[in-house]
Amino acid sequence: AQKVTQAQTEISVVEKEDVTLDCVYETRDTTYYLFWYKQPPSGELVFLIRRNSFDEQNEISGRYSWNFQKSTSSFNFTITASQVVDSAVYFCALREGLPGNQFYFGTGTSLTVIP
Amino acid sequence: GAGVSQSPRYKVAKRGQDVALRCDPISGHVSLFWYQQALGQGPEFLTYFQNEAQLDKSGLPSDRFFAERPEGSVSTLKIQRTQQEDSAVYLCASSRTQDSTDTQYFGPGTRLTVL
């Protein structure tokens, strides 16, 4: 079973529009960590945010914001006033609190911002 | 910069050849991870090192895959008798400690194409 689901395969928006990328996760752990990474065309995964399961406060960083809701097992990512440079593939990832060391990545959402 | 580096960035191999992929983690980082990313997919865990010890190799797809980190810094992922299904981007990541909460920082990847 997929532990992290990103149902949106591809999204296109016009520059300056807001866009939300969805992420739904599945775990039986009470302690876990959620991440978002950006993968631009260069291929390198760029860390955006980490959130632990005990902290449900939403977070805003500039044009980026994250909405963590344990009740729906979701960790959605919103980009406000999108820019062309935001075009990339975005991955949501889960790391469980067990002594395993894996990140479980979703299949990614490819975002294209049209100028 | 002092990020994770990988070499070569691109590798083309004929089926049956052996390949070796190198990862230079961030200096001083204890943990090192290898991932395989197929086209259009999220990264999938291959193996994990804590210093020179390979603590988890559950993601290695076959015994043709071998990884080492003999001095606890540079790591090499070796694939013997390459097959076409091995074609993928191989990502290396490192994190500062052995703590599973630590953020992983990724290198640019090596794109392996097996003909």
Side-chain angles (χ1 to χ4, degrees):
Chain A
Q2 191 75 11
K3 285 185 176 283
V4 178
T5 301
Q6 295 179 254
Q8 304 150 306
T9 305
E10 296 181 1
I11 299 176
S12 292
V13 297
V14 176
E15 199 171 19
K16 298 185 182 177
E17 286 185 345
D18 299 348
V19 58
T20 295
L21 310 181
D22 297 334
C23 173
V24 174
Y25 62 92
E26 179 181 335
T27 181
R28 294 181 179 179
D29 284 8
T30 55
T31 301
Y32 53 89
Y33 306 87
L34 296 164
F35 300 77
W36 275 96
Y37 282 85
K38 174 181 180 180
Q39 189 173 44
S42 62
E44 186 167 340
L45 282 161
V46 177
F47 166 76
L48 296 178
I49 190 171
R50 181 185 80 186
R51 177 51 50 87
N52 73 55
S53 53
F54 297 109
D55 182 4
E56 285 195 73
Q57 276 193 332
N58 291 329
E59 181 159 341
I60 298 175
S61 176
R63 296 184 298 107
Y64 295 169
S65 62
W66 290 269
N67 185 339
F68 176 30
Q69 292 195 342
K70 289 178 74 171
S71 61
T72 56
S73 296
S74 65
F75 186 44
N76 297 337
F77 172 32
T78 297
I79 302 174
T80 303
S82 59
Q83 299 177 1
V84 173
V85 293
D86 296 329
S87 297
V89 180
Y90 291 85
F91 289 96
C92 180
L94 164 72
R95 189 164 193 187
E96 295 174 318
L98 292 173
N101 300 291
Q102 301 187 35
F103 269 33
Y104 297 97
F105 283 85
T107 51
T109 297
S110 177
L111 173 65
T112 301
V113 180
I114 303 165
Chain B
V4 178
S5 61
Q6 293 185 246
S7 60
R9 291 294 312 277
Y10 302 92
K11 177 69 178 177
V12 178
K14 291 183 179 178
R15 190 173 56 173
Q17 283 184 333
D18 298 348
V19 298
L21 313 180
R22 177 187 169 107
C23 171
D24 285 80
I26 294 173
S27 178
H29 275 200
V30 168
S31 297
L32 186 144
F33 305 79
W34 282 99
Y35 291 84
Q36 180 189 61
Q37 186 177 17
L39 188 64
Q41 300 296 314
E44 292 196 2
F45 171 82
L46 293 177
T47 187
Y48 162 68
F49 289 87
Q50 182 179 317
N51 295 308
E52 70 278 4
Q54 188 175 21
L55 298 186
D56 188 344
K57 52 182 180 179
S58 61
L60 296 176
S62 78
D63 59 7
R64 296 186 295 103
F65 286 71
F66 172 76
E68 59 183 6
R69 193 186 186 199
E71 297 179 359
S73 55
V74 172
S75 177
T76 303
L77 176 67
K78 298 179 179 178
I79 309 173
Q80 298 177 325
R81 304 181 303 281
T82 52
Q83 304 293 316
Q84 286 188 323
E85 61 263 28
D86 300 334
S87 295
V89 175
Y90 291 85
L91 295 167
C92 176
S94 70
S95 59
R96 189 174 57 85
T97 73
Q98 70 271 27
D99 190 336
S100 64
T101 67
D102 250 355
T103 298
Q104 294 184 14
Y105 296 92
F106 285 79
T110 295
R111 182 177 298 276
L112 172 65
T113 302
V114 181
L115 302 176

